[in-house]
């Protein structure tokens, strides 16, 4: 009898709370707060949070289970984003939550705040702006595209293979960024698609980082302490990555590679003295931050771009027309002839890439935490040390910014009537973040994106396998859950 009474009481409470919340976007339950609704929709996290933001005028406060300290402010309001990233920049840092979740990044540029962040940014900026580095970057990417990417796609054409283009791009960009940062080519992209332990470890570690966001902190910390489940895998993957990076650092010091232009070599022998001024941990932290940024963001952007282009043949035709016009009268359609200067003339291609980044930003949300209590432009009062997530995915879908056709893929929205590029403020087009923490590698990213896009589109026609599901993955990087399965055909001139 007691059991029936308990069940009846629980049903009464459940119905009572359902009735109280039936007209609200998300139910707040006793003890569990809003967590059940989030967990129920975690497989559709980005669109779910986007719908909540839209229903709440661009900002809502998520209240987690009791005693879990999981209260989070979600926002896609561009004025809030401008306030957080620029106007009140000094009050908004990464915060304790972020530094705990992303401990693997060490004291690198993406995890650090204050003086450490400023030092990292100044140092990397001084390297990125060097003309010799830009030339090295261009040649490295060009070589990898010619010797690996196009060779692999030629092989796929001859064999009539279905290809997971996302996997191809992850391998390509991992090889590229390893060459640029470490001066070492792991050769992930080759005909036989080998399994490379360090590349696999990067992918698996990303998954754990996402789940640290949606699980109570005490839960994943307990898993970490006990070394079980997801956290055990994470520790194993980080061990693989660290062993590899420290091995490369040791090799760099021993071989004294002064003439190499990779970032690790530059930091070791130009900034440091080859031995003591730059320690191994600083090199490791810098390397892992740049490897994560240069591999995952570029591969994600390329994957969504090619899916959008493949499903919008008119856009594909316009890109090809623009590229061929800039190749002048050359009949061989050699993508290399454009060079660095030619890339900047491809206005429509630039617009198509911006559209892909708007709709599917590689980093779908960003963390912040305020040092002092504050009032956002939206009117929300924020206590100190509150976790704030601004959704880059949702900002690209705000009708007030992009219009009623905001869900459509329209490169034309980036091209002015005079044929130039329309520039949108970074707090509205936020794929490269905004304010002082805007991505240093923005220009570098566009170079690689354009080179890969031109090389593939000029030589091949990409067709998405019919019925292949396109769903965002649950990760801190916006990959496709099931990859991008395509058939590839050689393009006739």
């Amino acid at each position: 009898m007691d059991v029936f009474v308990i069940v009846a009481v629980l049903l009464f409470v459940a119905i009572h709370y359902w009735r109280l919340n039936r007209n609200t976007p998300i139910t707040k339950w006793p003890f569990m707060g809003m967590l059940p609704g989030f967990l129920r929709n975690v497989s559709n996290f980005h669109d779910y949070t986007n719908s909540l933001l839209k229903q709440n005028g661009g900002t809502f406060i998520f209240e987690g289970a009791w005693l879990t300290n999981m209260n989070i402010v979600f926002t896609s309001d561009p004025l809030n984003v401008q306030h957080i990233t620029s106007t009140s920049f000094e009050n908004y840092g990464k915060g304790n939550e972020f530094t705990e979740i992303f401990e693997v990044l060490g004291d690198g540029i993406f995890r650090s705040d204050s003086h450490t962040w400023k030092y990292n940014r100044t140092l990397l900026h001084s390297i990125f702006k060097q003309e010799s580095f830009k030339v090295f970057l261009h040649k490295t990417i060009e070589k990898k595209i010619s010797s690996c990417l196009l060779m692999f796609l030629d092989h796929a054409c001859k064999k009539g293979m279905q290809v997971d283009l996302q996997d191809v791009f992850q391998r390509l960009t991992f090889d590229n960024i390893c060459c640029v940062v470490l001066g070492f080519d792991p050769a992930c992209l080759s005909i036989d698609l080998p399994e490379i332990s360090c590349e696999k470890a990067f992918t698996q570690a990303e998954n754990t980082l996402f789940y640290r966001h949606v699980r109570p902190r005490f839960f994943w910390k307990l898993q970490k302490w006990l070394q079980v489940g997801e956290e055990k895998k994470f520790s194993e993957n980080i061990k693989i990555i660290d062993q590899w990076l420290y091995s490369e650092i040791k090799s760099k010091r021993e071989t004294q590679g002064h003439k190499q232009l990779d970032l690790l070599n530059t930091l070791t022998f130009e900034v440091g003295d080859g031995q003591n001024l730059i320690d191994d941990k600083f090199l490791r932290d810098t390397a892992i931050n740049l490897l994560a940024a240069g591999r995952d963001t570029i591969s994600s952007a390329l994957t969504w771009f090619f899916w959008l282009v493949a499903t919008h043949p008119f856009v594909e035709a316009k890109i090809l027309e623009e590229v061929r016009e800039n190749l002048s009268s050359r009949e061989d359609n050699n993508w290399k002839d454009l060079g660095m200067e030619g890339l900047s003339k491809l206005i429509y291609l630039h617009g198509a890439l911006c559209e892909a980044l708007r709709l599917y930003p590689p980093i779908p949300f960003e963390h912040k935490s305020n040092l002092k209590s504050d009032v956002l432009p939206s009117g929300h009062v924020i206590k100190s040390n509150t976790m704030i997530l601004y959704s880059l995915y949702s900002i690209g879908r705000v009708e007030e910014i992009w219009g009623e056709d905001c869900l459509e893929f329209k490169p034309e929205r980036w091209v002015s009537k005079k044929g130039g590029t329309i520039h949108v403020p970074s707090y509205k087009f936020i794929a490269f973040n905004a304010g002082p923490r805007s991505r240093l590698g923005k220009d570098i990213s566009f170079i690689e994106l354009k080179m890969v896009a031109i090389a593939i589109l000029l030589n091949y026609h990409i067709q998405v396998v019919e019925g292949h599901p396109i769903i965002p993955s649950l990760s801190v990087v916006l990959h496709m859950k099931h990859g991008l399965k395509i058939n590839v055909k050689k393009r006739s001139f």
Side-chain angles (χ1 to χ4, degrees), residues 108-123:
I109 189 169
F110 296 123
R111 183 173 176 259
S112 57
D113 279 321
S114 191
H115 300 298
T116 304
W117 167 75
K118 288 179 182 178
Y119 175 75
N120 275 293
R121 188 175 178 88
T122 302
L123 185 59

Side-chain angles (χ1 to χ4, degrees), residues 350 413-414 416 420-426 429 442:
H350 186 85
R413 76 174 82 240
W414 296 89
S416 70
T421 297
I422 294 175
H423 295 281
V424 178
S426 58
F429 174 54
K442 178 180 178 180

Side-chain angles (χ1 to χ4, degrees), residues 283-345:
L283 293 174
R284 177 265 181 207
D285 291 349
T286 301
I288 198 170
N289 278 254
L290 295 177
L291 289 171
R295 180 249 193 176
D296 294 308
T297 56
I298 300 297
S299 64
S300 169
L302 285 170
T303 302
W304 290 105
F305 168 79
F306 272 94
W307 172 64
L308 289 165
V309 169
T311 52
H312 293 78
F314 173 77
V315 173
E316 180 184 38
K318 289 270 290 182
I319 292 172
L320 284 168
E321 180 185 4
E322 179 183 58
V323 172
R324 285 169 177 158
E325 284 177 358
N326 281 278
L327 284 172
S328 301
S329 59
R330 298 178 180 89
E331 296 180 0
D332 60 354
N333 279 0
N334 188 347
W335 61 278
K336 296 180 185 178
D337 290 337
L338 280 167
M340 291 281 285
E341 184 180 348
L343 293 177
S344 63
K345 298 177 181 179

Side-chain angles (χ1 to χ4, degrees), residues 44-89:
N44 191 33
F45 180 80
H46 303 299
D47 286 320
Y48 176 64
T49 53
N50 182 54
S51 68
L52 291 177
L53 285 164
K54 192 172 182 180
Q55 292 173 56
N56 284 272
T59 304
F60 76 92
I61 299 176
F62 169 81
E63 296 180 40
W66 291 3
L67 305 178
T68 61
N69 193 29
M70 279 188 71
N71 290 1
I72 305 169
V73 177
F74 284 83
T75 189
S76 60
D77 185 327
L79 294 180
N80 284 349
V81 174
Q82 184 182 33
H83 179 82
I84 293 165
T85 60
S86 301
T87 310
S88 297
F89 173 75

Side-chain angles (χ1 to χ4, degrees), residues 115 127 131 151 211 216 254 265:
H115 300 298
I127 297 173
E131 192 62 32
M151 188 179 295
Y211 281 106
E254 290 175 347
N265 194 72

Side-chain angles (χ1 to χ4, degrees), residues 251-276:
S251 175
K252 190 72 66 177
R253 292 196 192 279
E254 290 175 347
T255 56
Q256 300 284 306
H258 294 278
K259 294 183 180 180
Q260 295 178 340
L261 294 173
D262 59 86
L263 277 165
L264 193 62
N265 194 72
T266 301
L267 289 171
T268 306
F269 295 105
E270 292 187 22
V271 179
D273 63 356
Q275 294 298 325
N276 300 316

Side-chain angles (χ1 to χ4, degrees), residues 147-258:
S147 63
C148 297
L149 177 61
L150 299 185
M151 188 179 295
F152 175 83
L153 293 176
D154 271 338
H155 173 73
C157 283
K158 292 173 184 175
K159 297 293 184 180
M161 295 166 45
Q162 277 191 8
V163 173
D164 180 356
L165 198 56
Q166 177 170 263
D167 180 51
V168 170
F169 287 147
Q170 285 183 287
R171 291 169 179 273
L172 171 70
T173 55
F174 191 72
D175 284 350
N176 271 336
I177 197 63
C178 284
C179 290
V180 171
V181 174
L182 305 175
F184 163 73
D185 186 352
C188 294
L189 181 55
S190 58
I191 299 301
D192 57 344
L193 297 177
E195 184 176 289
I196 307 296
S197 60
C198 52
E199 192 267 346
K200 184 180 178 182
F202 258 91
T203 301
Q204 292 178 342
E206 277 178 11
N207 298 332
T208 304
L209 291 174
F210 175 82
Y211 281 106
R212 283 184 174 186
H213 286 82
V214 297
R215 288 173 176 161
R217 184 163 37 161
F218 78 86
F219 179 79
W220 67 258
K221 281 198 158 190
L222 181 62
Q223 280 194 323
K224 179 185 174 184
W225 183 63
L226 295 173
Q227 279 299 284
V228 296
E230 197 76 33
E231 290 297 323
K232 181 182 179 182
K233 295 178 187 175
F234 186 69
S235 296
E236 291 169 350
N237 287 320
I238 299 310
K239 185 177 180 181
I240 291 170
I241 294 169
D242 280 348
Q243 287 177 343
W244 168 56
L245 289 178
Y246 281 118
S247 174
E248 290 299 317
I249 292 167
K250 182 181 179 183
S251 175
K252 190 72 66 177
R253 292 196 192 279
E254 290 175 347
T255 56
Q256 300 284 306
H258 294 278

